[in-house]
Amino acid sequence: MKELQSLNKFIWKYRWQLITGFLMVILSNFVSVYSITYVGSAVNDIENVLSRYTSGDTGDLDQVKKSLMYAALLFIGLKVVAGGFMVGVRLMIIATSRHIEYDLKNEIYKHYQKLSLSFYKTHKTGDLMNRITEDVAYVRQYLGPGIMYPMDLISRAAIILVFMIKIDPMMTLYALGPLPVLSFLIYRVATIISRKSKEVQKQQSEISSTVQDTFSGIRVIKSFNTEETTKKNYAKEAVDYEKKSLSLAQTQAYFSPLMILVVGVSNLLILYMGGIRYYEGKLDIGIIAQYFMYLNMLIWPFTSLGFVTMLVQRAEASMGRINEFLKQSPEIENQIEEKTAVSGKIEFKNVGYTYKNTGIEALKDISFKLEKGESIAIMGKTGSGKSTVALLLARMLQPTKGEILIDDIPYEDLNLHSLREAIGFVPQEAFLFSDTIKNNILFGSISDGDSEKAIHYSKKAAVHDNIAHFKNGYETILGERGVTLSGGQKQRISIARALIKEPEILVFDDSLSAVDTETEEEILKNLQSEMNQKTTIIITHRVSSAKNADNIMVIDEGRIAEYGSHSELVAKEGAYFNLVKKQLSEVE
Ligand SMILES: Nc1ncnc2c1ncn2[C@@H]1O[C@H](COP(=O)(O)OP(=O)(O)OP(=O)(O)O)[C@@H](O)[C@H]1O
Ligand SMILES: [Mg+2]
């Protein structure tokens, strides 16, 4: 249970609830076991009545009737009291497991948010979701039933054992002998069931991802006319699922007969031993009844022992998976407590970056300088490293070589949140949330709810007319729950989202690629006034977007190939000049 030890801090936090719960389990079990004594005396009373009838002495029966009634009422009353305690137990222990589940989910969620981009590049979203939902649920089952049942078993078995041994030690041995066998068998079967259910679950998620893949790619499937192949793939997965489910059902089918068998043997032994002792006059008949009831009270806790073992094993595995992520320390962490002002001067000094997971050296020896308010355009073939420059600047990645200075300070010495606040980043893949357009634009801006500003910056990003065209305007809901936008509309909304932050530094990563040249020109013109006071980085494939920047940097395979203003680079007649020639002839 190495992994589960990391839960100790939560268990300690809720120790009083758990201790109260344990005391209540003891009380409930004591009262419940004690109440059985009255069943014994009731059976003795009945025997008394019967024997009087057979002997013909039916004289004064009122006394016996009274005693019978008294025993029955006490039995029921005590059972109600025991039930009341049991409710308390559940309120304490099961509720605690819910509290810990809540705490644990919050801890994981908070940690997820801290982890760096590189973590998210190497882990699937589905995996992340599973660990915070399913794995936490398994851990919770350990904390709830996994703690409650053993408490119940231990206290109940101890109390019953005392009662049983006090009555008849030898018969106790016979009655309880088969129970450990029961526990062991159930444990074995439960382990097999758990293994098989895992296989079924795994196959279920295979089917889900096949279906998801199929229907998110349905356009491609239809246009390539591959419905038959897709159907066959699905059928294969489905048959596999059926086989695994049937195998699980077969194992489950053994479960209750097995239990009934072992319990039956125990009952038989009580009847046999009890019968012999009764005939020998060593035992009241009521005791036999009591023993049956004691045994019945022990069956469930013993059964649960196998179940609990399975729960604990499963929780241990789940907690291991959770801990694996919790132990990952974020690659990039804020080291500076107080906020730092950022004015917008940028310097890259011999910066290199290698992607760890692929070993691709995306950038080599990149150096450039931008004064506050200056602009630079970064051009280069696809895969040359342009986006990597942008991600490094926003400190989503950490340079593996060289250093980046902001306002002449190594940017590790700035408050990370201040740095990111100072950057208006329009990523290459425009991502919008399933929310209204207005909330998407205001996202991350300090002045939330400010519609005027949203309109102002939408106009600058040349998307206001499009938005005004929608029936619900800025309240239009996007994404799965609403309208799907065109690529160009998405890009412009993310531009508005970056502008509204009024940041010191603007980064556009190929943000106008899906916009026609006319709109591009309009946006660039609108941005000109913004850009004068802001340090701007424009990553682009188009000369039209780049030519007005103070400097243009052409990257080739991670190295700076050319650097200079538009006229300088044209005069040089190099790679940039070739681009100019080609793109201008295209326009013509
Ligand atoms: N998350 C990643 N993990 C591993 N390698 C990556 C990752 N992202 C990019 N790369 C690699 O780094 C190199 C530079 O990629 P980058 O995204 O910076 O290119 P780019 O110039 O922006 O290209 P494009 O014009 O197509 O956007 C490429 O060879 C790419 O395969
Ligand atoms: Mg890119």
Side-chain angles (χ1 to χ4, degrees):
M1 286 166 66
K2 210 177 91 229
E3 302 286 355
L4 289 173
Q5 275 171 15
S6 49
L7 292 170
N8 288 353
K9 60 173 185 230
F10 295 118
I11 292 180
W12 182 248
K13 182 176 167 192
Y14 296 102
R15 59 190 180 283
W16 293 117
Q17 277 98 316
L18 291 173
I19 291 172
T20 315
F22 189 47
L23 290 178
M24 285 183 153
V25 168
I26 296 175
L27 281 175
S28 163
N29 277 325
F30 180 79
V31 174
S32 194
V33 173
Y34 187 75
S35 72
I36 288 175
T37 321
Y38 292 102
V39 175
S41 64
V43 171
N44 285 338
D45 286 340
I46 293 168
E47 193 208 19
N48 191 352
V49 175
L50 283 177
S51 64
R52 285 214 214 174
Y53 271 113
T54 26
S55 64
D57 170 25
T58 49
D60 177 28
L61 270 177
D62 279 354
Q63 194 56 35
V64 188
K65 271 188 198 159
K66 237 187 229 163
S67 143
L68 194 58
M69 190 58 94
Y70 175 71
L73 283 178
L74 261 175
F75 176 68
I76 292 169
L78 287 175
K79 277 285 181 203
V80 170
V81 173
F85 280 127
M86 213 55 209
V87 171
V89 171
R90 289 193 154 262
L91 286 181
M92 286 296 147
I93 295 176
I94 304 293
T96 297
S97 77
R98 290 287 180 192
H99 288 313
I100 297 181
E101 176 186 32
Y102 171 82
D103 290 348
L104 186 60
K105 277 190 177 176
N106 276 336
E107 185 180 329
I108 300 172
Y109 190 84
K110 238 167 88 185
H111 191 73
Y112 275 178
Q113 289 215 317
K114 268 198 271 173
L115 288 171
S116 316
L117 204 60
S118 51
F119 172 84
Y120 287 96
K121 294 265 181 197
T122 45
H123 292 95
K124 285 190 197 154
T125 316
D127 189 20
L128 266 92
M129 291 197 6
N130 265 339
R131 293 188 201 207
I132 203 172
T133 52
E134 206 169 310
D135 283 326
V136 173
Y138 287 153
V139 170
R140 187 200 70 77
Q141 283 180 15
Y142 152 72
L143 289 166
I147 286 182
M148 188 176 72
Y149 289 138
M151 278 184 179
D152 189 33
L153 170 64
I154 292 168
S155 64
R156 191 182 292 198
I159 295 168
I160 290 182
L161 219 61
V162 170
F163 272 75
M164 280 177 127
I165 291 175
K166 235 177 73 190
I167 298 171
D168 190 331
M170 208 42 207
M171 207 166 120
T172 307
L173 199 66
Y174 280 93
L176 299 187
L179 286 190
V181 182
L182 177 69
S183 268
F184 177 72
L185 285 178
I186 285 171
Y187 166 65
R188 288 305 302 266
V189 178
T191 320
I192 298 172
I193 287 180
S194 151
R195 198 193 68 224
K196 289 191 175 174
S197 341
K198 250 188 233 152
E199 281 169 18
V200 170
Q201 267 167 14
K202 212 172 125 208
Q203 189 56 27
Q204 172 65 52
S205 69
E206 286 289 324
I207 291 186
S208 302
S209 61
T210 309
V211 171
Q212 202 210 346
D213 234 26
T214 307
F215 290 103
S216 51
I218 191 75
R219 273 202 266 178
V220 183
I221 288 171
K222 278 192 187 290
S223 60
F224 278 73
N225 205 19
T226 53
E227 285 100 331
E228 270 311 308
T229 328
T230 326
K231 203 172 89 187
K232 269 185 206 142
N233 279 342
Y234 176 76
K236 216 173 75 197
E237 302 284 358
V239 167
D240 203 21
Y241 178 76
E242 186 192 19
K243 257 194 230 149
K244 286 177 175 159
S245 301
L246 281 177
S247 158
L248 173 65
Q250 272 164 8
T251 314
Q252 276 168 336
Y254 289 118
F255 200 77
S256 12
L258 204 68
M259 250 179 64
I260 292 169
L261 179 72
V262 180
V263 173
V265 170
S266 266
N267 276 320
L268 219 64
L269 286 173
I270 292 178
L271 196 60
Y272 180 69
M273 287 302 296
I276 289 176
R277 288 173 173 248
Y278 175 67
Y279 273 112
E280 288 170 352
K282 288 179 185 158
L283 211 69
D284 283 344
I285 195 157
I287 298 290
I288 298 178
Q290 258 170 265
Y291 261 66
F292 279 134
M293 293 194 75
Y294 290 143
L295 182 70
N296 262 313
M297 272 193 77
L298 279 176
I299 289 167
W300 167 241
F302 266 94
T303 315
S304 75
L305 204 59
F307 171 66
V308 166
T309 318
M310 195 259 301
L311 278 189
V312 173
Q313 282 177 344
R314 204 169 60 180
E316 169 79 7
S318 286
M319 200 61 218
R321 275 193 293 274
I322 294 169
N323 283 340
E324 188 194 338
F325 277 3
L326 285 181
K327 270 189 214 129
Q328 299 247 1
S329 49
E331 219 171 283
I332 297 162
E333 232 174 330
N334 184 28
Q335 310 281 2
I336 310 299
E337 273 305 315
E338 67 273 21
K339 301 230 157 197
T340 33
V342 174
S343 80
K345 188 175 169 186
I346 300 170
E347 183 174 2
F348 273 53
K349 259 192 186 167
N350 311 102
V351 171
Y353 188 80
T354 306
Y355 282 100
K356 243 188 259 146
N357 55 330
T358 53
I360 290 175
E361 199 180 352
L363 289 180
K364 293 154 218 162
D365 206 19
I366 299 285
S367 299
F368 67 90
K369 221 177 185 173
L370 281 176
E371 292 299 331
K372 176 180 163 59
E374 271 188 347
S375 59
I376 189 174
I378 303 179
M379 299 191 78
K381 292 196 190 91
T382 148
S384 57
K386 303 181 296 296
S387 295
T388 311
V389 172
L391 291 173
L392 283 167
L393 176 65
R395 224 181 146 209
M396 305 284 239
L397 306 172
Q398 187 72 33
T400 40
K401 278 197 195 117
E403 60 176 351
I404 297 173
L405 308 175
I406 304 279
D407 300 343
D408 299 317
I409 314 170
Y411 76 168
E412 293 81 2
D413 296 339
L414 296 178
N415 179 299
L416 182 62
H417 308 294
S418 300
L419 173 72
R420 291 196 181 144
E421 234 167 71
I423 299 177
F425 191 93
V426 187
Q428 188 161 18
E429 317 249 314
F431 180 84
L432 299 178
F433 294 91
S434 257
D435 199 344
T436 61
I437 293 183
K438 192 173 107 187
N439 286 342
N440 263 293
I441 294 174
L442 288 171
F443 180 79
S445 101
I446 321 108
S447 51
D448 55 333
D450 193 343
S451 313
E452 291 297 308
K453 243 169 124 190
I455 294 174
H456 175 73
Y457 284 103
S458 301
K459 281 182 179 160
K460 291 225 170 203
V463 70
H464 173 74
D465 289 344
N466 290 111
I467 299 172
H469 207 70
F470 291 129
K471 200 172 76 209
N472 295 324
Y474 282 82
E475 300 301 327
T476 306
I477 295 197
L478 301 180
E480 277 183 3
R481 294 189 288 131
V483 171
T484 310
L485 296 181
S486 77
Q489 287 167 339
K490 272 193 216 161
Q491 281 190 336
R492 281 172 288 148
I493 287 180
S494 16
I495 292 176
R497 169 159 78 191
L499 292 178
I500 206 169
K501 275 172 78 182
E502 300 179 344
E504 279 67 33
I505 300 169
L506 279 169
V507 180
F508 300 106
D509 189 354
D510 217 3
S511 314
L512 296 171
S513 60
V515 176
D516 59 84
T517 37
E518 232 169 89
T519 317
E520 179 194 16
E521 209 164 299
E522 186 192 338
I523 296 172
L524 288 172
K525 219 173 73 204
N526 292 343
L527 289 182
Q528 211 62 57
S529 56
E530 297 282 326
M531 279 156 49
N532 280 337
Q533 305 122 44
K534 296 180 197 308
T535 316
T536 312
I537 295 178
I538 301 173
I539 295 169
T540 179
H541 286 283
R542 286 193 195 153
V543 171
S544 51
S545 288
K547 64 175 193 277
N548 292 320
D550 295 320
N551 276 303
I552 295 158
M553 176 165 86
V554 182
I555 307 185
D556 188 29
E557 292 185 1
R559 279 184 200 285
I560 300 183
E562 284 175 23
Y563 190 96
S565 67
H566 175 74
S567 47
E568 280 167 9
L569 290 190
V570 168
K572 216 173 159 191
E573 302 201 354
Y576 181 74
F577 176 71
N578 286 334
L579 271 177
V580 174
K581 254 194 345 197
K582 213 167 120 207
Q583 291 189 9
L584 284 184
S585 72
E586 268 169 20
V587 172
E588 274 157 26

